[in-house]
Amino acid sequence: MLRAIAESGVLRAAVQPGSPPFGTANPAGNLSGYCVDLLNGLTQQLQAQLGRPIRLDLSAAEVSNRFSLVQAGTVQIECGPNTLRSDIEGVLFSAPFFLTGVQLLAAADTAEQFNALGTLTGARIGVLRDTVTEQVIRQRYPAAQIVTLRGDTARTAGFQALRSGAIDLFAGDGVLLLGEALQTSSSLAGAGYTLLPPEPLSCDPYGMLLPATDSTWRNTVNQFLTSQAARQAGDRWFTQDLRPYLFLTLDRCVAE
């Protein structure tokens, strides 16, 4: 992979635009977010390592095609909220670059009706289909009514369903629920939502998606993820609004 990048002068990468703060797109389609900053930093590292200019060729990925983009060689790396897994052929995960966990988003004015530490019997819980989150929710709340959502706009549909009252709770990785809610307000309370329970139900590390056949490329990416440039990217995106969530998640997962 490094040889191909050196010969072409291009790093082909993808980001999921519907996953703030990891990736967003403006109306013109321009991508931004934590993953974009990480990939820009990786590009700069490759320039220094390979001794030639490297251009970042960035494209959009979706939940439905994120693995196939890497498997087919369309991109050399994909960055997004990808929980580490061992059952995806043709894909290698980088070392973890973020830690999150499953939580439930509730409307602030109805949250007291739901005890997330209980059984949530009969509660209508929306969740993205065929995800790690769905597995966690079905195991944790077998007496709840699980409403599955699928497709590239499923997360947006989940928020709309919660706002309209079609579901009582929307399950997802806490950082993604926060990221979406904070698009409309500077605080979760200001957006009219709350997270249940305060600490996540699971501990789910995210990794970047890489071709399974190139361990040297994985080592290069992992080296970047420990760099000062990678830490600075995190500091830019996970500011005061998100830090309490990060600390709660870290405390819970370290204790586990």
Side-chain angles (χ1 to χ4, degrees):
M1 197 64 64
L2 286 173
R3 178 179 295 180
I5 295 170
E7 290 176 353
S8 67
V10 177
L11 171 62
R12 302 191 312 276
V15 168
Q16 298 172 41
S19 57
F22 297 91
T24 61
N26 65 16
N30 298 316
L31 296 166
S32 62
Y34 178 38
C35 276
V36 175
D37 282 7
L38 285 175
L39 291 168
N40 278 316
L42 176 60
T43 302
Q44 293 174 5
Q45 174 181 293
L46 290 171
Q47 288 185 151
Q49 180 177 344
L50 300 174
R52 64 153 298 171
I54 302 295
R55 176 175 62 85
L56 177 62
D57 182 5
L58 196 59
S59 59
E62 302 293 347
V63 172
S64 60
N65 71 354
R66 53 183 169 161
F67 297 120
S68 61
L69 287 174
V70 176
Q71 292 163 335
T74 305
V75 300
Q76 295 151 324
I77 184 169
E78 194 272 355
C79 180
N82 304 308
T83 303
L84 268 63
R85 298 168 60 177
S86 58
D87 61 336
I88 308 297
E89 294 185 3
V91 171
L92 195 65
F93 283 82
S94 73
F97 70 93
F98 195 83
L99 182 65
T100 185
V102 172
Q103 288 176 284
L104 301 160
L105 193 69
D109 56 358
T110 62
E112 291 185 358
Q113 301 175 27
F114 305 103
N115 177 14
L117 299 179
T119 63
L120 291 180
T121 300
R124 299 166 300 170
I125 304 177
V127 64
L128 302 193
R129 186 174 177 180
D130 298 329
T131 60
V132 173
T133 297
E134 182 185 1
Q135 297 172 17
V136 171
I137 292 300
R138 288 191 181 277
Q139 182 177 7
R140 181 65 180 77
Y141 304 112
Q145 298 181 40
I146 307 301
V147 180
T148 58
L149 306 157
R150 67 182 309 172
D152 296 336
T153 60
R155 188 173 290 112
T156 300
F159 274 88
Q160 292 173 343
L162 182 61
R163 282 195 294 268
S164 69
I167 58 176
D168 301 309
L169 302 160
F170 184 39
D173 290 345
V175 66
L176 297 178
L177 298 175
L178 273 171
E180 189 71 31
L182 292 175
Q183 296 294 295
T184 59
S185 176
S186 61
S187 69
L188 193 60
Y193 296 108
T194 188
L195 280 176
L196 304 173
E199 294 184 350
L201 299 167
S202 63
C203 293
D204 304 312
Y206 288 165
M208 297 190 181
L209 304 183
L210 309 166
T213 56
D214 197 335
S215 59
T216 301
W217 176 227
R218 182 178 187 270
N219 291 338
T220 299
V221 172
N222 287 349
Q223 181 183 21
F224 166 72
L225 292 175
T226 64
S227 69
Q228 182 178 1
R231 290 192 294 272
Q232 289 173 341
D235 290 341
R236 284 193 295 272
W237 284 96
F238 299 101
T239 54
Q240 184 174 357
D241 295 328
L242 289 173
R243 287 194 188 281
Y245 163 80
L246 298 178
F247 290 139
L248 277 173
T249 301
L250 183 61
D251 287 347
R252 187 259 194 232
C253 294
V254 169
E256 183 180 90

